[in-house]
Amino acid sequence: MSDASWWKQAVFYQIYPRSFYDADNDGVGDLRGIIEKLDYLNDGRGGGLGIDAIWISPFFPSPMADFGYDVSDYTAIHPIFGSLDDFDVLVSEAHARGIRVMIDLVFNHSSDQHPWFRESRRSRGNPKADWYVWADPGDDGEPPNNWLSVFGGSAWAYEPARDQYYLHSFLKEMPDLNWYSAKVREALAGVVRFWMDRGVDGFRFDAVDHYAYDRRLRPEPPRDYELAALGDSEKTNPWCGHARIYCSDRPENIENLEFLRSVLDEKDGVVSLGEVGIVRDLESYIRKAASYCRQPDRLHMAYTFAMLTRTPSPKWFAEIVRLMEEGGNSWPCWSLGNHDSTRLASRYPGCGELYRTLQLVLLCMRGTPVLYYGDELDMEQAELAFEEIRDPFGKAFWPDYKGRDGCRTPFPWDGTARNMGFNSGTEPWLPMRGASSLDRSQADPMSTLHLLRAMIRLRREHPALSVGAYEELRQDDSVWAFARILKDERLFVAANFSAEACSFPLPEEYRWLEQIRLEAFGDKNGAAQGGAVQLPGYGFYIGLNEKP
């Protein structure tokens, strides 16, 4: 991991800092908490989970209208998380353990409390008048078009001081920055340089497909296609009823990505990861993601929500990979969970241990995997009452959609301790729910924690699993099988997405397999014999091809 492409072989781990560990006992996790728990992720001596890089969700000063994704200062730390000195210690301690640090930059919008917006909203003639997206009212005095906010209602808010509306793709407290302004782009470039100078190894760019909008402000037509993936919030969200061809996902956005890459390339080894929202059919969605991370002058990686579907199948997964592979010189990032999605262990009710199988598959795919904090402990989606909900998204669409708090609850370090070890007494910012805990997982040799530790070690021992070529070998209603190939190393991977045991013939060139058994997967390990692979329900097989 010493060269500029370290990220291709890395396993990332997303930390939601409010919920990881509360070192100062105020109910909210903090940077010092992350520092104290780095050894759990990787102690630098072969211990820990084996994580190579962490992605930390926002910790900047913020009014917390959207819990940190509404930033009021891009180059400081919110006091509840600590200080810049704490951050510097975090980077130093992480690097000492071989852990790279990626931070979350929210460049589509800022908080309405950011000094830039406070100045911009004062008048039409101030120096930052065009730093945000402003438009005159329509003929009837109403918003200039029918664009909708992801969080509900119109995407436009009226400002009397300017007699204009400003665009907010999300909350009205989060006005959209105007990427068509050269001064805005340079200001944001300054933010990137500030954090690169502090030793940051990478940046995750939030809502990166929203940076560009149709400058003619044409109204959105109704959607005439099926969405690539349908999450809980999208079943009732009117925003999803629009085609979204003018308010986001604009072709001119590529210029913005190339601008960001030029800034990142000022320092060797700094990586970028773009969040690409759901658009149109699956093919359009994945091709867009591939275009966003086409090398050498765009983002290094892009991730989608496509694999967070509630109805996973070999066909669905294989098609996503096929489309990304056809994207040319692009590098994908794969994830099965994040701070916006239902917890992996709760996503497939009635499907047994499918979620464990999928995590093994994730670590075998060509591309960079990201694990979401707590998924290694089988953390489930917390069921919260309305009065416990903090998420503005959940409040807006309750009860049809209960928001994202259920996947953001604090990490359970010790099931025997007060607040499950998240802190030493103060009530956590969200309730502790569920039976999962680190101590229980450590004590169980068959736990997902031990399974993922073994799989991460295996990925490191066999570079073909991270940077090798991909070859699809089988894809049917139950089984997805593929090979990863690097020079003389060939690994065969097969997973059963169904509860029923199955068998299928091996390709002739894979008749010389030495099984790599994952002890923590027990009787879910498949077998290869007699020229065929046998997979139990939700089973997994990985073998090294030893053909001379």
Side-chain angles (χ1 to χ4, degrees):
M1 288 194 14
S2 59
D3 63 6
S5 61
W6 62 268
W7 41 278
K8 290 186 175 181
Q9 293 178 270
V11 176
F12 280 69
Y13 185 94
Q14 183 191 354
I15 293 174
Y16 195 71
R18 297 181 68 89
S19 295
F20 197 56
Y21 182 64
D22 177 15
D24 63 4
N25 198 37
D26 65 355
V28 178
D30 43 53
L31 298 182
R32 283 283 171 184
I34 298 174
I35 295 168
E36 290 189 26
K37 297 300 185 180
L38 284 172
D39 281 350
Y40 165 68
L41 301 175
N42 189 338
D43 64 7
R45 302 183 301 275
L49 189 54
I51 296 301
D52 303 300
I54 52 176
W55 150 25
I56 309 174
S57 293
F59 44 71
F60 312 105
S62 165
M64 297 294 169
D66 192 24
F67 293 97
Y69 283 88
D70 51 319
V71 179
S72 57
D73 185 344
Y74 287 107
T75 56
I77 308 292
H78 194 297
I80 64 171
F81 297 121
S83 66
L84 280 171
D85 287 342
D86 292 330
F87 181 80
D88 292 340
V89 172
L90 170 57
V91 171
S92 177
E93 292 294 324
H95 287 174
R97 293 164 172 78
I99 302 173
R100 311 275 184 147
V101 178
M102 171 182 281
I103 67 172
D104 211 326
L105 289 181
V106 188
F107 279 176
N108 173 71
H109 51 265
S110 74
S111 165
D112 62 356
Q113 299 305 305
H114 197 292
W116 297 347
F117 186 71
R118 287 182 169 181
E119 184 171 356
S120 185
R121 77 189 311 174
R122 284 205 320 261
S123 68
R124 300 191 186 195
N126 69 78
K128 292 184 172 59
D130 68 342
W131 280 43
Y132 292 82
V133 183
W134 294 96
D136 291 335
D139 293 339
D140 56 0
E142 294 299 309
N145 61 28
N146 68 342
W147 294 0
L148 296 175
S149 163
V150 177
F151 283 17
S154 173
W156 299 95
Y158 182 68
E159 173 52 61
R162 293 181 54 137
D163 188 26
Q164 284 185 310
Y165 285 86
Y166 65 84
L167 180 66
H168 59 92
S169 297
F170 298 89
L171 291 175
K172 65 179 179 60
E173 295 87 355
M174 295 152 59
D176 283 21
L177 286 154
N178 180 18
W179 272 79
Y180 292 104
S181 165
K183 291 182 179 179
V184 168
R185 299 210 307 188
E186 282 305 317
L188 296 176
V191 172
V192 172
R193 294 184 182 109
F194 175 88
W195 291 107
M196 288 198 300
D197 289 344
R198 298 197 93 90
V200 165
D201 303 290
F203 302 92
R204 181 263 188 185
F205 292 106
D206 181 71
V208 73
D209 48 349
H210 281 266
Y211 290 178
Y213 61 93
D214 177 48
R215 301 187 78 176
R216 293 163 58 188
L217 303 183
R218 285 173 284 185
E220 287 287 356
R223 192 183 86 217
D224 60 356
Y225 52 82
E226 291 297 321
L227 285 174
L230 196 63
D232 292 338
S233 67
E234 293 160 330
K235 295 174 183 177
T236 56
N237 192 342
W239 176 74
C240 297
H242 282 181
R244 290 175 285 166
I245 58 177
Y246 297 125
C247 65
S248 64
D249 190 32
R250 300 296 300 159
E252 53 265 38
N253 199 32
I254 295 300
E255 181 183 346
N256 296 325
L257 307 182
E258 292 172 346
F259 173 79
L260 279 175
R261 181 61 181 265
S262 71
V263 178
L264 295 164
D265 284 348
E266 294 173 6
K267 186 173 182 180
D268 291 341
V270 176
V271 66
S272 52
L273 169 61
E275 176 196 30
V276 181
I278 295 168
V279 295
R280 302 177 183 85
D281 57 278
L282 181 65
E283 181 172 352
S284 300
Y285 190 19
I286 303 304
R287 293 199 187 284
K288 181 180 78 164
S291 72
Y292 272 31
C293 59
R294 191 159 296 138
Q295 304 304 307
D297 56 355
R298 300 180 187 174
L299 299 179
H300 298 80
M301 301 180 283
Y303 82 89
T304 74
F305 290 78
M307 285 189 171
L308 278 65
T309 174
R310 283 186 173 273
T311 54
S313 69
K315 180 180 180 181
W316 183 265
F317 272 55
E319 183 69 359
I320 291 169
V321 173
R322 182 187 70 80
L323 292 168
M324 183 60 79
E325 290 290 305
E326 290 179 356
N329 192 20
S330 303
W331 190 261
C333 176
W334 305 121
S335 178
L336 294 168
N338 61 39
H339 63 288
D340 288 328
S341 305
T342 301
R343 278 278 179 186
L344 178 61
S346 300
R347 200 176 303 145
Y348 316 121
C351 291
E353 295 190 335
L354 174 60
Y355 71 94
R356 279 163 51 94
T357 306
L358 294 182
Q359 289 182 87
L360 297 178
V361 172
L362 179 80
L363 290 163
C364 293
M365 293 169 60
R366 178 184 173 273
T368 299
V370 180
L371 306 179
Y372 185 51
Y373 85 95
D375 280 352
E376 74 275 19
L377 306 184
D378 305 333
M379 279 184 71
E380 296 182 335
Q381 187 80 359
E383 291 294 328
L384 304 177
F386 180 77
E387 56 271 18
E388 295 174 313
I389 291 289
R390 307 287 297 276
D391 180 15
F393 207 177
K395 291 179 179 179
F397 291 100
W398 184 278
D400 297 312
Y401 173 61
K402 298 182 179 180
R404 301 163 296 177
D405 292 325
C407 69
R408 299 175 176 183
T409 51
F411 190 100
W413 294 97
D414 184 349
T416 67
R418 180 176 173 82
N419 294 331
M420 302 188 80
F422 172 68
N423 62 18
S424 59
T426 305
E427 284 297 313
W429 76 286
L430 283 176
M432 305 290 300
R433 294 282 160 80
S436 301
S437 65
L438 177 59
D439 59 312
R440 291 167 186 159
S441 291
Q442 287 176 327
D444 179 3
M446 308 302 286
S447 70
T448 301
L449 175 68
H450 290 297
L451 181 63
L452 292 183
R453 278 176 176 163
M455 192 67 233
I456 290 170
R457 285 196 301 270
L458 188 63
R459 180 183 170 89
R460 184 173 291 112
E461 292 165 2
H462 296 279
L465 288 176
S466 54
V467 295
Y470 164 83
E471 178 186 358
E472 182 180 304
L473 299 175
R474 186 178 184 87
Q475 176 256 111
D476 57 30
D477 291 341
S478 300
V479 173
W480 185 27
F482 56 87
R484 300 299 311 280
I485 305 162
L486 181 65
K487 298 180 180 178
D488 295 331
E489 184 176 65
R490 300 169 69 91
L491 286 109
F492 178 91
V493 177
N496 185 357
F497 285 55
S498 78
E500 301 298 322
C502 63
S503 176
F504 62 94
L506 277 167
E508 185 65 34
E509 63 270 31
Y510 287 94
R511 298 292 174 92
W512 296 268
L513 286 172
E514 177 187 355
Q515 181 173 7
I516 303 174
R517 184 176 174 82
L518 296 165
E519 294 303 323
F521 214 41
D523 60 6
K524 294 296 182 181
N525 281 282
Q529 54 190 13
V533 172
Q534 285 84 38
L535 290 172
Y538 306 127
F540 179 82
Y541 177 88
I542 184 167
L544 183 65
N545 193 22
E546 293 195 309
K547 181 178 180 181

